[in-house]
């Protein structure tokens, strides 16, 4: 019998307790040990819970109990999760988590502490909810060099974009609907501004390339400025707009990593990933393209991923799983302004002839795209590959000529 | 330094050597040990190979060398792979394989021998080529009950069906093209008759339900009888025909398991899996639907999965991975004739009025579907859920009335 503790009794935490209890027998069989929840840590009271006798408000109860070998940290946020996790690892307890913010900001340090103390720090649930991705990437793809990762990593924004694309709802209406359905928080910034996706691609990139890529090194842009006009142009171009978290290694060894809305071709494997689903494409040099697809969030999917990690820790109480990356710094990442890719641009001008001339002068090879019912003064076009700084300069030049640039969106090569 | 042997130097075997050599450093880092190929077993000569000095024709060289801790069996076929694998496991060597035929027919026995000898028998490469599926299913989904598995498990047949659906090629022409492109063997029976997919769903079912489901217990039907008429009706019904390997647990605890062509709805997550790609949908009670997608075959994808297993064995030389199922028998599986599902039926009759009446009499609630340019004497319809024996009886009755039944295809609930 192995004793575990669950820190946090919110959505995921209560799901972890539920899964551990409801699958007690099959889990014991797989872990080759019975697993018992000894403590549940929460500052709130749950007098009516069937597990009321397990609750504690004191982290020290868990820390000081030598019997507790594995701790699930499902509190979210950096504080006090960071401090609690560190002290558990230092005390020789393995920790599993769904806390993407903590892994993305403190992963290298916590992994090093886990290594030094011969325990495990696992975080399958931090990316993709119930979709297995961390473990397949670190194990099954062990014999590959990861060439590129691209993913739809946030279900909320994907739901909103799907509503905009399929039902022509405005961003505001689709966000409201997502909130009503419980897919989006009342304060939706972490989702719609791309921060959640940023943490996830930072974790995947760190794992794939072995060095910590901190979230602040990832150019991050949300979907709040995407309009139905852009969605319509994407359709006539032959694709859809998705919020993509992407990382690839450039020829100079640096990483091109970003989270931003992108136009992706309809034939791309991610184009059909709709609603609250996540899809993650991993290109290996040997495996080719492998895609993982499923619901990226939700109480039970995420909880089951946490429990799978608990089982793995119980099976490896005296061995370490290979899940590790070293510290990293800004030198790993190509400055965003220097990255190059084609873009879609939409603008408004009362003198369309002059505007078109200016566009062709500044973006040689630009191709105009059309949409039905476009206002008279609208022009949209796609460009060839161009660096961010160059395209920004050209856009400033357009603006100087009285041309109002409404949108600029990256075109993906997926 | 850990010594390994590779048995078989065909497509996959030479790929394994290539991946181990080309990724030597990164593999050593992940395995925390250098991995060295000491022997390559093949009855043929490879005098020009850069690894010529490693070749042997004697299995005993490998068996009797105490230094060899891990053996990759990539010979294919049951004999002599079965005998070699057994003797390696009994000698305390871990074995990894891409040999789906051997795993599907002898898995329970070999897993038991591995367990008794405290070594590992791993077979990630046996299903889905480079797509991680065995390990995610056994580990990441550990905290789930698997409700259902459904997959496009054979790339060759999927390529052929895609050509029939998208380019209106006949089965024969599409098969010829697949052979010319090297996707299909000169003797394509194992693919087009469904045997390959059968072995794979048998392996996945055994893993998910913990008891060996032998291939002969799986109703298996290939795609050789699918016609362009059926493809056209599937399209007007709103879907596509795919060769699906499927298993689900019925309410009485028995398994509904089969490999057969099915009509699947266009909105299904497997409908868009085209060409030589595989897609595997795993429904867990907690995770919901998770889909794994990628190239299901090919030298390097499959080889990299084998190498990932070698790495895992090297990391677990003194520990066992939990990958196991007990022996099983026919009582686990619902007899195919008793399984129930809706079907699509296409028939020909010179007296369409009489035929339609007869159809409605025998299949209450049948819904006629149309296609453009249908011959005068053709009728196609879909039915409600009906047992196989009932629908076969009804079809015999139609035939007795001079109505010629051309096709009957399962309609999937995917």
């Amino acid at each position: 019998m192995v004793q575990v503790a669950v820190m946090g009794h919110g959505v995921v935490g209560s799901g972890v307790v539920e899964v551990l209890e409801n699958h007690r027998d099959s889990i014991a069989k797989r872990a080759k040990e019975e697993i018992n929840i000894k403590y549940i840590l929460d500052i709130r009271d749950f007098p009516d819970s069937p597990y009321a006798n397990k609750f504690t408000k004191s982290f020290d109860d868990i820390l000081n109990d030598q019997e507790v070998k594995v701790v699930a940290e499902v509190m979210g946020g950096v504080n006090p999760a960071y401090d609690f996790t560190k002290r558990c690892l230092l005390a020789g307890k393995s920790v599993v988590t769904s806390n993407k913010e903590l892994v993305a900001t403190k992963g290298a340090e916590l992994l090093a502490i886990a290594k030094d103390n011969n325990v495990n720090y696992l975080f399958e649930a931090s990316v993709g909810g119930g979709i297995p991705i961390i473990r397949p990437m670190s194990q099954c793809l062990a014999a590959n060099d990861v060439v590129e990762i691209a993913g739809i990593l946030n279900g909320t924004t994907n739901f909103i974009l799907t509503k905009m694309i399929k039902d022509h709802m405005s961003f505001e209406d689709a966000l409201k609907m997502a909130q009503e359905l419980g897919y989006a928080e009342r304060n939706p910034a972490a989702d719609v501004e791309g921060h959640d996706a940023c943490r996830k691609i930072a974790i995947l990139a760190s794992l794939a390339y072995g060095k910590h890529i901190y979230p602040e090194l990832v150019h991050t842009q949300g979907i709040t400025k995407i309009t139905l006009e852009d969605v319509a142009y994407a359709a006539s171009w032959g694709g859809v707009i998705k919020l993509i978290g992407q990382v690839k290694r450039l020829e100079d060894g640096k990483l091109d990593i970003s989270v931003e809305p992108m136009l992706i071709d309809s034939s791309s494997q991610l184009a059909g990933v709709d609603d609250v689903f996540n899809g993650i494409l991993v290109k290996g040099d040997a495996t080719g393209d492998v895609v993982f697809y499923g619901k990226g969030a939700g109480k039970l999917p995420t909880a089951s991923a946490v429990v799978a990690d608990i089982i793995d820790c119980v099976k490896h109480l005296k061995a370490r799983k290979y899940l590790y990356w070293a510290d990293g710094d800004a030198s790993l990442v190509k400055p965003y302004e220097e990255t190059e890719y084609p873009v879609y641009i939409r603008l408004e001008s009362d003198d369309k002839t002059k505007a078109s001339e200016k566009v062709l002068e500044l973006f040689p090879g630009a191709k105009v795209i059309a949409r039905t019912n476009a206002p008279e003064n609208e022009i949209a076009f796609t460009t060839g590959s161009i660096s961010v700084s160059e395209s920004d300069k050209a856009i400033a030049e357009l603006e100087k000529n009285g041309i109002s640039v409404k949108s600029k969106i990256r075109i993906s090569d997926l």
Side-chain angles (χ1 to χ4, degrees), chain A:
Chain A
M1 172 99 79
V2 173
Q3 303 292 346
V4 304
V6 180
M7 304 197 296
H9 199 64
V11 173
V12 177
S14 58
V16 168
V17 173
E18 204 175 295
V19 171
L20 279 174
E21 293 296 329
N22 292 353
H23 293 78
R24 183 173 268 278
D25 294 344
S26 63
I27 287 172
K29 214 172 122 195
R30 284 177 202 265
K32 296 191 246 174
E33 286 268 14
E34 235 186 285
I35 294 178
N36 183 58
I37 302 170
K38 190 158 178 184
Y39 303 102
I40 303 172
L41 179 71
D42 205 290
I43 47 169
R44 294 163 297 178
D45 288 306
F46 295 87
D48 301 330
S49 162
Y51 315 109
N53 62 328
K54 297 179 188 289
F55 277 88
T56 174
K57 291 178 181 166
S58 161
F59 168 66
D60 287 338
D61 284 351
I62 295 168
L63 185 68
N64 296 330
D65 190 328
Q66 297 290 323
E67 275 195 347
V68 174
K69 300 292 184 200
V70 182
V71 178
E73 182 272 294
V74 282
M75 312 163 69
V78 172
N79 292 310
Y82 169 53
D83 178 52
F84 287 2
T85 299
K86 200 152 87 169
R87 287 160 72 191
C88 285
L89 295 171
L90 286 166
K93 300 176 198 301
S94 286
V95 177
V96 308
T97 189
S98 58
N99 188 336
K100 47 198 155 270
E101 191 177 353
L102 184 57
V103 177
T105 52
K106 301 287 182 185
E109 182 188 350
L110 294 171
L111 286 166
I113 296 173
K115 193 180 176 189
D116 290 345
N117 290 275
N118 202 32
V119 290
N120 287 300
Y121 182 50
L122 305 182
F123 41 87
E124 180 61 62
S126 67
V127 181
I131 310 171
I133 176 72
I134 301 290
R135 195 170 273 105
M137 261 196 50
S138 69
Q139 294 195 332
C140 306
L141 301 177
N144 274 259
D145 285 337
V146 174
V147 177
E148 182 174 350
I149 305 168
I152 293 171
L153 299 166
N154 179 273
T156 308
T157 45
N158 203 38
F159 175 84
I160 293 170
L161 289 172
T162 304
K163 285 288 154 199
M164 292 175 73
I165 294 164
K166 301 221 157 153
D167 303 336
H168 311 292
M169 287 173 75
S170 70
F171 170 78
E172 290 74 18
D173 289 346
L175 170 60
K176 214 177 137 203
M177 188 178 193
Q179 286 171 320
E180 281 163 8
L181 289 167
Y183 297 152
E185 308 278 330
R186 221 171 329 156
N187 177 354
D191 291 322
V192 299
E193 300 292 358
H195 303 310
D196 177 77
C198 167
R199 290 167 191 147
K200 291 169 178 168
I201 195 69
I203 293 171
L204 294 177
S206 303
L207 190 64
Y209 300 108
K211 295 264 174 78
H212 198 133
I213 310 297
Y214 289 94
E216 56 269 30
L217 300 176
V218 181
H219 172 81
T220 300
Q221 195 182 321
I223 62 164
T224 54
K225 288 176 189 151
I226 303 296
T227 66
L228 289 176
E229 288 81 3
D230 300 322
V231 167
Y233 278 114
S236 66
W237 171 79
V240 287
I241 298 175
K242 294 284 186 187
L243 183 66
I244 303 287
Q246 179 181 283
V247 60
K248 52 185 162 184
R249 198 194 281 274
L250 301 170
E251 275 177 25
D252 62 6
K254 302 223 176 203
L255 300 180
D256 174 358
I257 182 167
S258 73
V259 170
E260 56 193 312
M262 296 189 196
L263 265 72
I264 61 173
D265 194 278
S266 297
S267 67
S268 150
Q269 289 146 340
L270 296 180
V273 176
D274 284 331
D275 298 317
V276 292
F277 284 87
N278 287 15
I280 303 165
L281 167 66
V282 181
K283 282 183 200 267
D285 65 343
T287 54
D289 294 4
V290 177
V291 177
F292 303 86
Y293 172 91
K295 276 200 180 152
K299 174 179 177 168
L300 289 181
T302 308
S304 79
V306 172
V307 172
D309 274 350
I310 294 177
I311 295 173
D312 215 10
C313 283
V314 167
K315 284 163 60 187
H316 290 86
L317 280 182
K318 277 157 204 146
R320 282 201 69 250
K321 304 287 296 177
Y322 189 83
L323 197 63
Y324 183 76
W325 59 71
D327 203 6
D329 57 48
S331 71
L332 301 165
V333 174
K334 185 95 163 179
Y336 184 67
E337 311 75 53
E338 295 173 24
T339 59
E340 289 178 23
Y341 50 76
V343 292
Y344 145 89
I345 289 173
R346 179 169 60 89
L347 50 80
E348 284 175 11
S349 167
D350 290 331
D351 185 347
K352 274 180 84 169
T353 314
K354 188 186 143 201
S356 295
E357 276 169 18
K358 206 72 200 157
V359 161
L360 280 173
E361 178 195 319
L362 290 163
F363 298 97
K367 282 184 198 141
V368 169
I369 44 179
R371 66 172 178 115
T372 49
N373 303 321
E376 254 311 298
N377 65 345
E378 192 178 72
I379 302 179
F381 60 95
T382 61
T383 74
S385 197
I386 181 170
S387 75
V388 171
S389 60
E390 287 293 321
S391 68
D392 282 350
K393 215 185 296 171
I395 286 171
E397 183 68 21
L398 289 176
E399 298 270 5
K400 218 185 290 173
N401 281 270
I403 299 163
S404 169
V405 175
K406 296 294 180 184
S407 310
K408 170 187 142 184
I409 302 176
R410 181 170 183 160
I411 298 178
S412 158
D413 55 2
L414 287 173

